[in-house]
Amino acid sequence: MQKRARLIYNPTSGHEVMKRSIADILDILEQAGYEASAFQTTPEEASAQKEATRAAKANFDLIVAAGGDGTINEVVNGIAGLEKRPMMAVIPAGTTNDYARALKIPRDNPVEAARVILKNQTLKMDIGQANDNYFINIAGGGLLTELTYEVPSDFKSIFGYLAYVVKGAEMLPQIKPIKMHLEYDEGTYDGEASLFLLGLTNSVGGFEQIAPDAQLNDGNFSLIVVKTANMAELVHLIALVIKGGKHVNDPRVIYTKTSKLVARPGDDDVKMMINLDGEYGGDAPMTFTNLQQHIEMYVNKEDIPDHAITSETPTQQSAEDLFVKEVEAISEEDIDGDGKIG
């Protein structure tokens, strides 16, 4: 039985360059062995998400999300909650295209991006879950993350991620820290912060050094908590990001790995808006969980640095854990240092 692929594309992304590329992309999918068809998203809310769910339940083998990070996020939200999930491919046509940047997929030519599928290189990618929603790249909270809501969509499409930088500089004097309660694998933070970020990749807003050691499939988020809201200090931290990710060792920053996070305001009367992949995702309290290797994606694997991919699978890790527990039970010795035997 021939495999089937469904291309879900946003016709307004990338100055409508997608519209001119559809026939070529469908031809490439046919070359890859798929019976291919296309769906053009509509202004209806969650149009891409609903079509992704429909295609998955109709047993399509591959869904290709073509558009900006928002379109990709919608497609992921359409399939992440299903027990049987099709494979995915990404064709970037948005502003920052953070996700495609992390997967080393060409960002300036949709047809070349589609050709990555012909390489037949895939990776099972981690996905984030935030209460009942899902995200592919970044979640955040705090006043600093709210600046993204202030940038008009047409401004984003023309000027790219520089729009965020410009707007951010404009808003920096207004930014104040808020009290946060954050529970993560290695501990708890109770105190003031201007923002927290949970990253699944190393690419945020066009910067590739915010989470410099991020892995795409290890089951962990990169958690960054920025404690200061002082304008001069924030500008200095941004400079440290650009200069090779040196912010991770700064005392004004918490930088750690965690498989989950519980976030809520430190004060009951404070509202903490949550940003999921650049869009408003609800208010805290919110629980974030890393769904390890949840969706298999076509990637340009040969160009992804080795350190960004773990060689272990969840099954292997579980088997290793079981082995250690068995040895502990026999030797009556705490080998893994968790304070328990067996």
Side-chain angles (χ1 to χ4, degrees):
M1 188 174 178
Q2 188 175 15
K3 297 182 295 182
R4 292 188 299 159
R6 187 68 159 164
L7 170 65
I8 299 176
Y9 71 97
N10 183 343
T12 63
S13 290
H15 308 293
E16 301 190 349
V17 69
M18 275 305 307
K19 281 184 176 180
R20 300 190 296 271
S21 306
I22 297 303
D24 289 334
I25 293 170
L26 291 176
D27 183 59
I28 289 168
L29 290 171
E30 296 279 349
Q31 291 177 45
Y34 292 97
E35 179 186 311
S37 57
F39 173 84
Q40 177 178 298
T41 61
T42 69
E44 180 190 0
E45 185 178 355
S47 170
Q49 179 175 335
K50 291 174 183 175
E51 174 58 19
T53 301
R54 188 205 67 78
K57 291 182 176 179
N59 295 317
F60 276 76
D61 303 279
L62 170 67
I63 296 178
V64 182
D69 289 330
T71 302
I72 300 167
N73 172 283
E74 273 199 42
V75 170
V76 166
N77 270 275
I79 69 173
L82 302 177
E83 190 170 331
K84 184 181 178 183
R85 299 175 294 278
M87 291 175 59
M88 270 191 67
V90 170
I91 297 178
T95 306
T96 53
N97 297 314
D98 276 318
Y99 203 58
R101 184 189 303 270
L103 303 189
K104 303 301 179 185
I105 294 169
R107 302 189 306 279
D108 54 1
N109 187 322
V111 177
E112 288 304 309
R115 290 190 195 282
V116 169
I117 297 168
L118 296 175
K119 292 185 176 183
N120 201 30
Q121 299 173 355
T122 66
L123 189 64
K124 291 182 178 179
M125 297 285 294
D126 292 355
I127 298 297
Q129 183 170 2
N131 287 359
D132 296 328
N133 296 313
Y134 302 90
F135 60 101
I136 54 169
N137 195 52
I138 192 78
L143 297 181
L144 195 55
T145 64
E146 294 177 19
L147 70 90
T148 57
Y149 310 129
E150 303 293 326
V151 183
S153 58
D154 56 343
F155 190 40
K156 290 180 191 178
S157 64
I158 295 168
F159 293 107
Y161 79 82
L162 289 175
Y164 296 104
V165 177
V166 171
K167 192 66 183 181
E170 189 181 299
M171 287 184 65
L172 279 173
Q174 306 170 31
I175 293 170
K176 295 181 176 66
I178 61 173
K179 288 183 180 179
M180 296 185 184
H181 176 84
L182 305 172
E183 299 172 20
Y184 50 97
D185 287 356
E186 298 300 323
T188 301
Y189 175 72
D190 275 299
E192 290 191 335
S194 57
L195 85 159
F196 75 85
L197 292 175
L198 272 182
L200 284 155
T201 78
N202 70 338
S203 184
V204 181
F207 294 103
E208 294 190 41
Q209 295 293 340
I210 289 184
D213 59 348
Q215 289 192 321
L216 302 174
N217 62 344
D218 67 344
N220 286 312
F221 299 113
S222 298
L223 171 62
I224 303 166
V225 182
V226 179
K227 302 175 188 177
T228 181
N230 177 278
M231 183 170 68
E233 291 185 358
L234 286 170
V235 171
H236 182 240
L237 284 173
I238 292 170
L240 291 177
V241 170
I242 295 169
K243 291 294 182 182
K246 295 178 181 176
H247 62 294
V248 300
N249 299 315
D250 193 282
R252 295 164 294 191
V253 172
I254 295 172
Y255 184 82
T256 187
K257 302 294 181 182
T258 186
S259 62
K260 62 183 180 301
L261 175 75
V262 177
R264 63 174 180 264
D267 293 325
D268 292 339
D269 59 344
V270 173
K271 181 179 180 180
M272 186 160 73
M273 300 167 70
I274 300 299
N275 186 312
L276 300 178
D277 289 334
E279 302 295 336
Y280 174 60
D283 296 336
M286 194 167 287
T287 299
F288 304 86
T289 306
N290 187 300
L291 305 179
Q292 186 176 12
Q293 299 183 17
H294 195 66
I295 296 179
E296 187 171 4
M297 300 258 187
Y298 278 101
V299 302
N300 206 4
K301 200 170 185 178
E302 60 196 31
D303 290 342
I304 297 175
D306 291 341
H307 66 76
I309 303 174
T310 178
S311 59
E312 296 177 326
T313 66
T315 304
Q316 288 171 327
Q317 290 173 317
S318 299
E320 289 168 5
D321 290 342
L322 285 171
F323 176 77
V324 169
K325 295 300 182 187
E326 288 179 8
V327 174
E328 284 184 342
I330 295 169
S331 64
E332 297 185 348
E333 182 181 348
D334 180 15
I335 296 172
D336 57 13
D338 65 355
K340 301 175 184 177
I341 296 176

